[in-house]
Amino acid sequence: MEKSARDFAIEYASDIRFHQSFTLPPNPQAGRPAPIRVTYADADHRHDKRSDGPTILCVGGMMGGRYMVSGSMDILAKRHGVRFLCVDRCGLGGSGNVALEHRVQSWLDTVPALLQHLDIKHVALISHSSGTMFSFNTLLYLRQVLHPSEPYVAMLAPWVHQSHSEVALLSATSIVPNALVSNVVPIIKFINNKLMPGIGPIASFSSGMLGSASTENPSDAPDGETKAMRKELGKVTMKYVFEENTEGPGQEAMFCIRRGPKDMWGPWEDYDKGVRMITEQEASLDTRKPNGERAKLRVHAFFAESDALIGKKGADWFDSCWKEGNKEGQILYTSETVPDTGHDSIVDLEKGVTERIFEEVVASFA
């Protein structure tokens, strides 16, 4: 009997690969006096199961947790023989929460603990939106998790503070009370479930978690899925997201607009100083490729053509941080604007960006 679109969506979204967990040990200095549970997704399609095979750690946006793996990322991981990991940051999904000021340190505790748990030596990083701030911290304080000879980081639609982007919507948040900013998730849930139900997620603010998985190669798609199945999967996964913990994304909205101390993103404060710190760190390293050449960090930024959350000014400012802070060329930085994309749609499979990133990662681990 042929599966209905809804049966497919429920079965696929319930795959055990998307519902893994481990226990993060306590760290009172990071606001965790007791152990907390961390949930993650692990789509392992490596042809060679050795621990240092091609592996991507995804650092999603505000609501871009483990469900980013279901769909297009799973298809690409299968197509290219890659292991793809995505973690629910604190307060999202089944992950325990911490206070806003401890989000960064808890991420820095989570990454090495997860990789040790899975016996993974090295990863490439893909970040989207607010995940960019966590990628910067990973580069500065967990540099050892990147591949030693071909370290690679891709940053899609990187979040930029409104003081640089001058996006009117975000600039207006300066007069919005903290209580309202931190409760943005219930507003999104209300819009999706009450105002526009039945048409799929339409307000996944900075989520990037439900990228289209349309594909020209049916063999890539699980169980011969159709576009109707993909649409239904979007509805089901969004429902699953809102049934779990969403306290963390509310905090992350405060984090994005930096409603707190200037250094809440990290001691680097903002990207201009952060790039300088990363560049100085890279200059001090002397890692080599097998052929003896110096192994340089590669960072590739992809900007959306029509990004309502960072705008062209934000993209230009982010780009200038790397160009000004990396004049000595210690880092191989490249950037581009992807036509016909928005802040979230840039992750869609049909846009081609994620496919190129997977190809780069496979080559770097070869």
Side-chain angles (χ1 to χ4, degrees):
M1 183 177 177
E2 190 172 320
K3 290 181 184 177
S4 69
R6 184 158 184 82
D7 286 344
F8 159 80
I10 292 172
E11 181 179 326
Y12 182 66
S14 301
D15 192 313
I16 191 63
R17 296 176 303 148
F18 311 140
H19 303 279
Q20 298 291 305
S21 68
F22 76 103
T23 300
L24 185 65
N27 180 352
Q29 287 72 40
R32 300 193 318 275
I36 65 170
R37 179 172 179 252
V38 175
T39 48
Y40 65 96
D42 181 3
D44 189 357
H45 293 285
R46 293 171 301 162
H47 305 306
D48 180 356
K49 299 300 183 182
R50 59 196 170 92
S51 61
D52 214 25
T55 303
I56 293 172
L57 175 62
C58 178
V59 195
M62 188 177 80
M63 294 184 67
R66 70 188 193 276
Y67 287 107
M68 281 191 74
V69 179
S70 66
S72 60
M73 299 302 181
D74 190 26
I75 289 171
L76 288 173
K78 178 181 178 182
R79 184 182 297 174
H80 294 284
V82 169
R83 188 174 196 174
F84 192 90
L85 303 169
C86 197
V87 184
D88 288 330
R89 288 197 290 277
C90 290
L92 178 64
S95 293
N97 202 20
V98 296
L100 176 60
E101 63 267 25
H102 296 305
R103 292 191 68 77
V104 169
Q105 186 55 54
S106 288
W107 168 257
L108 294 175
D109 290 345
T110 297
V111 172
L114 174 64
L115 299 188
Q116 182 179 25
H117 174 70
L118 296 175
D119 191 28
I120 294 172
K121 294 179 181 178
H122 302 109
V123 297
L125 291 179
I126 294 180
S127 63
H128 173 249
S129 191
S130 62
T132 310
M133 290 88 90
F134 294 90
S135 281
F136 262 64
N137 281 292
T138 305
L139 285 173
L140 280 167
Y141 306 113
L142 296 174
R143 177 63 171 77
Q144 72 278 7
V145 305
L146 297 182
H147 195 282
S149 60
E150 293 287 349
Y152 177 77
V153 180
M155 299 178 177
L156 286 76
W159 183 269
V160 175
H161 191 262
Q162 62 272 15
S163 61
H164 307 297
S165 68
E166 299 180 12
V167 171
L169 174 65
L170 294 171
S171 296
T173 60
S174 61
I175 61 172
V176 178
N178 287 353
L180 185 56
V181 175
S182 63
N183 278 290
V184 66
V185 176
I187 296 171
I188 295 173
K189 182 178 180 180
F190 176 76
I191 294 172
N192 279 317
N193 293 345
K194 302 298 182 181
L195 298 186
M196 296 184 178
I199 63 170
I202 50 79
S204 53
F205 172 72
S206 189
S207 68
M209 64 182 177
L210 297 171
S212 166
S214 59
T215 174
E216 298 302 319
N217 185 356
S219 66
D220 288 330
D223 299 327
E225 66 181 81
T226 64
K227 288 185 178 180
M229 290 176 174
R230 291 295 328 149
K231 184 177 180 180
E232 193 65 33
L233 180 60
K235 298 177 190 177
V236 169
T237 51
M238 183 62 80
K239 178 178 175 59
Y240 283 11
V241 167
F242 286 128
E243 289 298 321
E244 296 182 317
N245 192 0
T246 56
E247 185 180 3
Q251 285 185 342
E252 202 144 305
M254 301 270 288
F255 184 78
C256 286
I257 63 174
R258 211 157 49 212
R259 188 65 67 83
K262 190 175 181 180
D263 64 351
M264 68 187 304
W265 292 1
W268 45 278
E269 298 180 359
D270 212 332
Y271 297 132
D272 48 358
K273 182 178 177 182
V275 170
R276 293 195 299 269
M277 290 174 64
I278 294 170
T279 300
E280 290 170 5
Q281 179 176 267
E282 291 299 311
S284 70
L285 300 176
D286 190 28
T287 51
R288 300 282 168 174
K289 297 182 180 182
N291 64 5
E293 290 182 11
R294 188 170 175 220
K296 287 190 174 184
L297 171 66
R298 288 188 297 143
V299 176
H300 196 159
F302 296 89
F303 303 111
E305 183 178 42
S306 300
D307 195 321
L309 295 181
I310 71 166
K312 188 175 187 308
K313 282 188 177 180
D316 289 345
W317 185 80
F318 185 87
D319 212 30
S320 71
C321 290
W322 287 96
K323 292 175 180 176
E324 291 297 317
N326 182 43
K327 288 183 176 179
E328 299 296 320
Q330 300 291 347
I331 298 167
L332 299 177
Y333 173 77
T334 54
S335 66
E336 62 184 274
T337 299
V338 185
D340 192 29
T341 56
H343 189 78
D344 280 356
S345 67
I346 194 170
V347 305
D348 289 0
L349 180 59
E350 64 187 13
K351 305 302 182 183
V353 174
T354 48
E355 178 98 57
R356 290 168 53 195
I357 292 170
F358 272 73
E359 291 170 351
E360 288 286 343
V361 171
V362 171
S364 70
F365 275 78

